[in-house]
Amino acid sequence: MNSDLFRSMREQLHPSEGSKTALREKLSNAPVRRSTSWKKYIALAACIAVLIAAFPIYTAVTGRGGSELHSYTLVEDNMPAADTETFTTTEDKAGVQGVLPEPDPQPETAVRETGILSQDEAQNLYIGLMEYFSQKYGSVSYEPVLPDWYGGGYLDNDRPDNIARLCVVLVEDLDTPELRQEIIAALGSDHVDFISGKYSRNRLRQLQESFADYPAIEEVFAGSWVDEEENLVHLELTEVSDEILELLAELDPDDDAISVTVGQRASIDVGVAW
């Protein structure tokens, strides 16, 4: 099939001798015009038109149309996170392997140099927010339905008074003073900080679940989680290829919703659930 297609393309770009002879006869019998300088522009336009028409065919056959590649961070063996490198191409990176760090779990309470960190109030406010979502938007399998304006929620533990604060991420296009007041009223407390984010929690979760739809990603998948504080999805891969980076670029055209880390885990026996 491909050979017939390319043969057809060649015939269009290189006419037969018979076609050339017939064309010359028509041109020789045509009326003589005073100026012929415009002919070169017509010929140039015709060549460009043929190339434009042939490009979609070439793309369909080869699967390449100048697609952008998603960026990624390569983690070397035993390399600290500060020394990682970010790439937008897999060229000359084949065979390089690294160790991916495990995400640090956040404890409910932690002892710091300045004393004990209290998270009780912030955690209760978060629970109250989820209950508010369930009451207003419903629930599925005991999980609240999240509104599209909600980008996520997390606890800010870096406060000088050692009292954690609930931070609610609002999608920037839907963030309004009225919405903030609605949340404060629903929680019955103004001990909440609001942060603007680009993506909703629903969109980030959708992106995370979509990884399982691509066998190329699934084969090298090591882990994934939604980072509500950074308002993005983390994706860990053991290896990477241009095919995968093209897929990720289609899923994340702005290259800011998926953070890709590439390296070989220290133990291949670690199982990660979707």
Side-chain angles (χ1 to χ4, degrees), residues 2-181:
N2 292 345
S3 60
D4 294 338
L5 184 57
F6 281 115
R7 187 181 305 110
S8 175
M9 291 169 60
R10 284 197 300 269
E11 290 175 354
Q12 295 178 47
L13 295 174
H14 301 285
S16 63
E17 290 300 325
S19 299
K20 292 180 181 179
T21 301
L23 179 60
R24 292 193 189 98
E25 291 178 355
K26 290 182 179 180
L27 291 176
S28 63
N29 295 328
V32 178
R33 301 184 183 274
R34 293 183 179 180
S35 176
T36 59
S37 60
W38 54 269
K39 292 182 180 180
K40 61 182 180 181
Y41 297 107
I42 294 180
L44 178 61
C47 292
I48 294 175
V50 171
L51 292 175
I52 292 175
F55 181 73
I57 301 175
Y58 170 78
T59 302
V61 173
T62 63
R64 297 187 179 276
S67 300
E68 296 292 332
L69 300 181
H70 197 282
S71 65
Y72 67 98
T73 299
L74 183 66
V75 183
E76 300 280 359
D77 290 326
N78 302 320
M79 179 182 291
D83 294 331
T84 58
E85 296 182 76
T86 301
F87 304 99
T88 56
T89 176
T90 57
E91 184 179 359
D92 298 329
K93 301 298 183 296
V96 179
Q97 296 180 336
V99 178
L100 294 179
E102 292 285 354
D104 295 328
Q106 284 193 350
E108 294 185 358
T109 58
V111 178
R112 305 194 300 179
E113 294 180 358
T114 55
I116 297 177
L117 172 65
S118 174
Q119 296 180 319
D120 292 342
E121 181 184 19
Q123 287 180 336
N124 290 334
L125 289 176
Y126 180 79
I127 294 172
L129 183 63
M130 295 301 106
E131 291 176 348
Y132 172 67
F133 289 159
S134 296
Q135 293 171 2
K136 184 170 184 178
Y137 303 104
S139 60
V140 177
S141 301
Y142 304 101
E143 294 291 333
V145 175
L146 304 179
D148 289 336
W149 53 256
Y150 179 69
Y154 62 93
L155 304 188
D156 178 9
N157 297 319
D158 298 324
R159 293 175 55 83
D161 57 2
N162 287 336
I163 299 177
R165 192 87 161 190
L166 172 63
C167 293
V168 177
V169 182
L170 303 178
V171 176
E172 54 191 15
D173 293 339
L174 304 175
D175 184 2
T176 64
E178 293 77 14
L179 177 58
R180 297 189 179 201
Q181 286 301 317

Side-chain angles (χ1 to χ4, degrees), residues 99-105 225 236 265 267 270 272:
V99 178
L100 294 179
E102 292 285 354
D104 295 328
W225 72 96
E236 294 181 345
R265 282 189 176 277
S267 173
V270 177
V272 180

